[in-house]
Amino acid sequence: MSHDHDHDDHDHHGHPHHDRGHEGHDHGGHSHAHGHHHHHTPTDFGRAFAIGIALNGAYVIGEAAYGFFGNSLALLADAGHNAGDVVSLGLAWLAAVLARKAPSRRYTYGLRSSSILAALANAVLLAVITGGIAWEAVLRLMHPEPSAGATMMAVAAVGIAINGVTALMFASGRDSDLNVKSAFQHMASDALVALGVVVTGAAIYFTHWLWLDPAVSLVISAVIVWGTWSLLREALALALAGVPPGVDQGGVADYLAGLPGVIEVHDLHIWGMSTTETALTAHLVRPGAALDDGLLAEVCAELRRRFSIHHATLQVECGEAPCELADHAAA
């Protein structure tokens, strides 16, 4: 059983896919199989990003104007916060566009992983923005200030509508794409902050308790941080080539080990190529077995169906010589 190590698998656009982690190793007598799912195209949220950026951009301009002419530091601060979210939406949209770029000789996977970087950046940005709100709230607890009153409540009410509508446009993709989830979380947190402003404003109007504003802001900040932590953890894990959430690494290993004729599985790696696509490489030891393209195609299809792994590269070995990568991956 022999196979040319320089073989490249091509997609329907004719772009080469290379086996990550095996370049530079000459494994004579080994067979490679590449499995690709050409119909796994992430949902296009381009229109949602465009509408969200336009709505929130206009809101930031209006909020900043009301804050400036109404002498409201709170509105100006919130306008700065929302401007950061417009930037985050633009970053997520750019990453979604880059993720669709075709592979090149330099970037053999294309720019899919840009969506992971965008999700990580947005998680960090949301944490920093929330930290700024919490710090301002602590300062106001120590030195309470009068709120902007009815104007502040009216502007915040508009913010609930705009941020809520924008969040709903991303809701359907938040469970399948971490980049979209980061955009959803930004907008949902903004809607929550705006709701807190309206409720607090009404309470202060009737009670004149100025401490309510910073106190509620701290509670909202804690809720946002709690939600952001999971987003940050998932994005960081993907950026470090960790096994994506929802993929059972042990189940994958057991499935491969149970294939006909396989006596050993080693150098098993599973990682996120993007926030929507998962890749796998593995070595299968099958002593005396002939090259079986039908089995390899079936395995790739099963990995796709059972584990949502859309880019599988399998190296089949006869086991006559020790593989230098046998102890390269975790058991």
Side-chain angles (χ1 to χ4, degrees):
M1 173 166 50
S2 63
H3 190 76
D4 183 4
H5 182 73
D6 293 329
H7 166 76
D8 291 334
D9 185 46
H10 293 74
D11 65 14
H12 57 284
H13 295 297
H15 300 290
H17 293 290
H18 304 286
D19 181 12
R20 174 176 175 171
H22 302 296
E23 293 126 345
H25 299 289
D26 181 15
H27 301 293
H30 297 162
S31 152
H32 300 260
H34 303 259
H36 306 279
H37 182 34
H38 303 307
H39 304 292
H40 180 72
T41 304
T43 303
D44 186 2
F45 284 89
R47 183 177 181 181
F49 280 120
I51 294 174
I53 290 173
L55 286 176
N56 284 273
Y59 178 64
V60 166
I61 293 173
E63 187 176 33
Y66 271 105
F68 179 78
F69 291 110
N71 197 31
S72 171
L73 180 61
L75 284 179
L76 286 173
D78 193 52
H81 167 213
N82 287 317
D85 286 339
V86 173
V87 172
S88 74
L89 280 178
L91 190 62
W93 190 11
L94 176 62
V97 172
L98 291 178
R100 296 173 181 273
K101 298 285 286 184
S104 66
R105 289 185 180 276
R106 180 174 177 83
Y107 300 101
T108 57
Y109 280 116
L111 298 175
R112 291 176 172 90
S113 60
S114 59
S115 61
I116 297 175
L117 297 179
L120 179 59
N122 276 333
V124 172
L125 182 60
L126 184 56
V128 170
I129 290 173
T130 304
I133 294 175
W135 177 250
E136 176 66 20
V138 170
L139 293 179
R140 292 205 172 197
L141 270 177
M142 294 187 294
H143 305 287
E145 298 178 11
S147 298
T151 300
M152 184 176 177
M153 291 170 58
V155 174
V158 174
I160 295 174
I162 290 178
N163 291 310
V165 168
T166 306
L168 286 175
M169 289 191 293
F170 295 109
S172 63
R174 71 185 188 278
D175 293 328
S176 58
D177 187 340
L178 195 63
N179 190 39
V180 173
K181 179 181 178 180
S182 69
F184 170 81
Q185 206 131 328
H186 266 276
M187 295 300 101
S189 68
D190 274 1
L192 183 62
V193 169
L195 177 62
V197 171
V198 172
V199 173
T200 305
I204 292 175
Y205 180 80
F206 289 107
T207 64
H208 302 289
W209 294 344
L210 299 182
W211 58 267
L212 277 176
D213 184 17
V216 172
S217 294
L218 282 175
V219 172
I220 292 173
S221 297
V223 172
I224 294 174
V225 167
W226 179 78
T228 304
W229 174 245
S230 63
L231 175 65
L232 180 61
R233 185 178 56 197
E234 288 182 38
L236 187 59
L238 285 178
L240 294 175
V243 177
V247 177
D248 180 6
Q249 195 266 359
V252 172
D254 291 342
Y255 166 69
L256 295 175
L259 294 173
V262 173
I263 64 169
E264 181 187 335
V265 177
H266 60 258
D267 200 34
L268 172 61
H269 298 277
I270 305 171
W271 72 98
M273 298 171 65
S274 71
T275 52
T276 59
E277 297 172 281
T278 302
L280 169 149
T281 61
H283 292 202
L284 309 179
V285 181
R286 300 182 75 216
L291 180 62
D292 190 341
D293 286 347
L295 175 64
L296 293 175
E298 179 184 332
V299 171
C300 290
E302 192 68 6
L303 287 172
R304 184 166 58 244
R305 186 185 69 82
R306 289 176 56 179
F307 303 102
S308 296
I309 295 172
H310 303 91
H311 186 119
T313 304
L314 303 171
Q315 177 168 300
V316 181
E317 304 168 354
C318 60
E320 294 178 355
C323 176
E324 63 184 63
L325 297 177
D327 299 320
H328 189 255

